[in-house]
Amino acid sequence: MFRNQYDTDVTTWSPAGRLFQVEYAMEAVKQGSAAIGLRSKTHVVLGCVNKANSELSSHQKKIFEVDDHIGVAIAGLTADGRVLSRYMRNECINYSFTYESPLPVGRLVVQLADKAQVCTQRSWKRPYGVGLLVAGLDESGAHLYYNCPSGNYFEYQAFAIGSRSQAAKTYLERRFENFTDSSRDDLVKDAIMAIRETLQGETLKSSICTIAVVGAGEPFHVLDQGTVQQIIDTFETAAEQEDPATEPDAATGQEAAAEQGTAADHGGSTDEGAAPMDI
């Protein structure tokens, strides 16, 4: 993207019908560290990649608790995400104080989308440069929403945002049909596997990823690093055990092929003119 005469403020339309500053905000989401979410009938799992600006600094928090039944994962400008999560927390508190019941997830998502849309229609404002994956559980079941800087929102079975999120989307698209009936532990494993896809060869460790869960009878909480590392070690050990098991099979196949080739050579010398075998 290059600077042009139609991106000086967010209310200026280009001749092609585009709002460039909104597109720039959506590009900021793509540049942020990856965040993923997936849900079953009873649980929702959020995950994100922790990236520090330097080896001397700690990573910034990417997953926030909004209420006991709602949490968000962000990609993009962390400061914007922190402000929006605080707004969501206030809305939950006000609703709970007024109606003495938890705020439905869908209603909160609509309020958040309306707040983001206002910033696309005021020349003295700028769009929020952050995308949010909103996970929650209410009377209608488990929900996973994506809120876009443009003010749009979508509900997903599984989704990924941020840099190199396409690899995670590919993994989720292959597996999403099984998510509806998946257990909590299976969802967590799939979330970790999807995060690993975004690392592109980098070693997956609990220190560079964060996993959070909300579900039936389980308030929103972030899993501790020890638990995440145990899960990572479990499926890495299983993968190592599968690799040696395939090697003897390959060796046996090669020996069988060699024996067949030898037999064919001998057969060719004795049965000249015979019809070849059908394969």
Side-chain angles (χ1 to χ4, degrees):
M1 295 184 181
F2 299 96
R3 180 171 178 82
N4 57 65
Q5 58 182 327
Y6 300 108
D7 65 355
T8 53
D9 63 64
V10 74
T11 60
T12 302
W13 291 93
S14 76
R18 299 164 63 182
L19 292 172
F20 284 104
Q21 285 204 9
V22 175
E23 294 183 15
Y24 296 163
M26 296 169 70
E27 188 66 25
V29 176
K30 296 178 182 178
Q31 299 298 327
S33 57
I36 63 103
L38 53 160
R39 68 178 174 93
S40 66
K41 292 179 180 179
T42 58
H43 288 81
V44 190
V45 176
L46 295 177
C48 69
V49 177
N50 302 328
K51 290 291 186 181
N53 292 329
S54 78
E55 296 181 357
L56 301 177
S57 68
S58 63
H59 65 271
Q60 290 184 304
K61 190 176 179 181
K62 295 287 185 178
I63 294 182
F64 301 92
E65 179 183 357
V66 175
D67 202 348
D68 287 342
H69 67 298
I70 299 177
V72 296
I74 66 171
L77 296 180
T78 308
D80 286 3
R82 189 173 61 248
V83 169
L84 289 177
S85 66
R86 185 164 60 245
Y87 164 78
M88 297 168 69
R89 199 173 295 122
N90 288 336
E91 290 299 313
C92 286
I93 291 172
N94 292 337
Y95 187 93
S96 178
F97 179 80
T98 304
Y99 300 102
E100 297 183 355
S101 63
L103 176 60
V105 183
R107 182 176 299 186
L108 177 62
V109 168
V110 171
Q111 292 176 349
L112 181 62
D114 290 344
K115 184 177 178 66
Q117 192 277 335
V118 169
C119 294
T120 69
Q121 209 172 359
R122 302 287 188 271
S123 61
W124 61 90
K125 292 179 179 288
R126 67 160 177 81
Y128 291 105
V130 65
L132 297 97
L133 291 176
V134 183
L137 186 77
D138 55 24
E139 294 179 350
S140 60
H143 300 281
L144 175 67
Y145 290 92
Y146 168 56
N147 276 75
C148 183
S150 63
N152 290 323
Y153 65 93
F154 309 91
E155 186 169 11
Y156 286 94
Q157 184 71 41
F159 197 55
I161 57 177
S163 62
R164 295 184 289 196
S165 61
Q166 186 56 50
K169 287 180 186 176
T170 302
Y171 175 84
L172 296 173
E173 288 168 358
R174 292 200 308 264
R175 304 269 302 173
F176 81 96
E177 293 179 352
N178 302 324
F179 291 161
T180 302
D181 299 319
S182 292
S183 65
R184 172 202 184 268
D185 293 339
D186 289 339
L187 279 183
V188 172
K189 290 178 183 178
D190 282 319
I192 294 174
M193 293 293 288
I195 289 175
R196 187 169 70 171
E197 294 294 320
T198 68
L199 299 179
Q200 292 186 348
E202 187 177 347
T203 303
L204 177 62
K205 298 180 292 186
S206 61
S207 60
I208 62 172
C209 67
T210 302
I211 303 293
V213 182
V214 61
E218 185 176 11
F220 184 87
H221 67 285
V222 176
L223 301 183
D224 60 85
Q225 287 191 2
T227 302
V228 175
Q229 189 60 50
Q230 287 179 358
I231 298 172
I232 294 172
D233 294 340
T234 299
F235 61 68
E236 284 186 349
T237 302
E240 291 174 357
Q241 291 176 350
E242 290 177 1
D243 290 341
T246 57
E247 291 176 359
D249 294 339
T252 303
Q254 292 175 357
E255 292 175 1
E259 291 176 359
Q260 290 177 358
T262 305
D265 292 341
H266 291 302
S269 61
T270 56
D271 298 332
E272 292 183 359
M277 294 177 61
D278 292 331
I279 299 176

